Amino acid sequence: MFIVVKKKNLIIVFVALTLVLALAGTGIALSATGAIALHKKYTVVIDAGHGGADGGVTGKNGTREADLNLEIARLLEKKLSDGDFKTVMTRKDEKGLYGDSLDKFKARDFAERKRIIREANPDVVISVHANKFPQSPSRRGIQVFYNPASEEGKKLAHDLQDRLNVLNQKYVGKTFAPLKGEYYMLNCTEKPSVIVECGFLSNEEDEKLLQTPDYREELTDAIVLGLTDYF
């Protein structure tokens, strides 16, 4: 039995094959459904702020920032690793990164975070923190900071803030613009970097939300979407 293949069909097959090969070369592939999916080629450093002797700020109801940061960072790391990203954690447990001595521990902690970031050579850095402003307990919401000298950092901050503003609108009733910040974690690398202040522990409503697993799921989902938008 002879099979007749029309010239038009051969052209379609050739074009489709060329497209698939081109996408594969850029780290993009077609999924089984025909949708475009990213390969795991983007590396994200997730920095859980504080740790060890440095507990960060503490909420009115006793929430310790260092513990909260780690919990959110671990959840974010799992979601990104299960998805389209490679991840590197600066802090993986409750300990700080300064070793056994408390002598000038803060400087040594920062230096170790910088070393991990440089060694990872990431595409972006996300530092997870919580805010506190006791002078105005009504202040609340999620705020993203970026290095004003980095255009890519600014773009990353806007993409993340846009997604996080969905939660701000839902729970706070308003949205925020990302802010410039002169912080060590934004200046220790030339890679696009942001600090995500996940809420105000000086605000009882924010603290209560951040203690809720469902809210932390929403928060980390929004960060994943913001990263996907950026890439």
Side-chain angles (χ1 to χ4, degrees):
M1 185 176 80
F2 295 98
I3 299 175
V4 178
V5 181
K6 294 183 179 179
K7 183 178 180 181
K8 180 180 178 181
N9 291 340
L10 282 173
I11 293 173
I12 292 173
V13 171
F14 175 76
V15 171
L17 181 59
T18 302
L19 176 61
V20 169
L21 291 174
L23 289 173
T26 61
I28 300 174
L30 293 177
S31 70
T33 61
I36 292 179
L38 297 172
H39 281 168
K40 288 193 176 186
K41 69 171 189 172
Y42 297 114
T43 300
V44 180
V45 166
I46 304 169
D47 173 59
H50 306 284
D54 179 12
V57 302
T58 302
K60 185 175 181 180
N61 295 315
T63 303
R64 190 170 178 263
E65 183 194 356
D67 299 334
L68 177 66
N69 294 344
L70 182 60
E71 197 160 355
I72 292 171
R74 282 173 170 169
L75 183 58
L76 179 60
E77 193 272 339
K78 183 180 185 306
K79 290 185 177 185
L80 290 175
S81 296
D82 289 345
D84 298 316
F85 301 92
K86 297 177 183 177
T87 58
V88 175
M89 295 273 283
T90 58
R91 181 165 71 90
K92 300 177 182 179
D93 54 33
E94 291 77 12
K95 299 176 183 178
L97 300 176
Y98 47 81
D100 296 327
S101 172
L102 292 179
D103 181 48
K104 298 180 181 178
F105 74 91
K106 193 69 177 176
R108 286 186 288 109
D109 183 271
F110 277 142
E112 180 62 9
R113 292 172 198 267
K114 181 177 181 178
R115 185 197 67 77
I116 292 170
I117 291 169
R118 286 191 170 182
E119 189 174 287
N121 191 29
D123 294 284
V124 299
V125 179
I126 297 179
S127 190
V128 178
H129 284 262
N131 227 327
K132 189 173 184 178
F133 193 62
Q135 299 92 326
S136 180
S138 62
R139 287 278 297 275
R140 59 180 306 204
I142 313 163
Q143 184 73 65
V144 182
F145 290 85
Y146 65 93
N147 184 342
S150 171
E151 283 300 315
E152 282 300 309
K154 180 179 179 180
K155 181 181 182 301
L156 173 62
H158 275 274
D159 286 335
L160 289 171
Q161 189 73 67
D162 285 347
R163 291 292 187 171
L164 291 165
N165 273 338
V166 175
L167 297 185
N168 283 330
Q169 186 64 57
K170 178 179 178 180
Y171 293 102
V172 185
K174 59 181 178 180
T175 60
F176 304 98
L179 299 177
K180 301 174 184 177
E182 294 291 342
Y183 301 108
Y184 181 87
M185 292 307 301
L186 300 177
N187 292 314
C188 71
T189 176
E190 295 180 356
K191 301 295 184 177
S193 307
V194 294
I195 293 173
V196 179
E197 296 279 1
C198 297
F200 283 79
L201 291 182
S202 49
N203 180 276
E204 288 191 62
E205 292 174 274
D206 266 10
E207 183 181 11
K208 185 177 179 180
L209 277 174
L210 287 165
Q211 290 174 330
T212 306
D214 286 348
Y215 183 73
R216 293 195 295 269
E217 288 282 347
E218 288 186 89
L219 175 67
T220 49
D221 282 344
I223 294 174
V224 172
L225 288 172
L227 278 172
T228 304
D229 293 341
Y230 174 76
F231 286 114

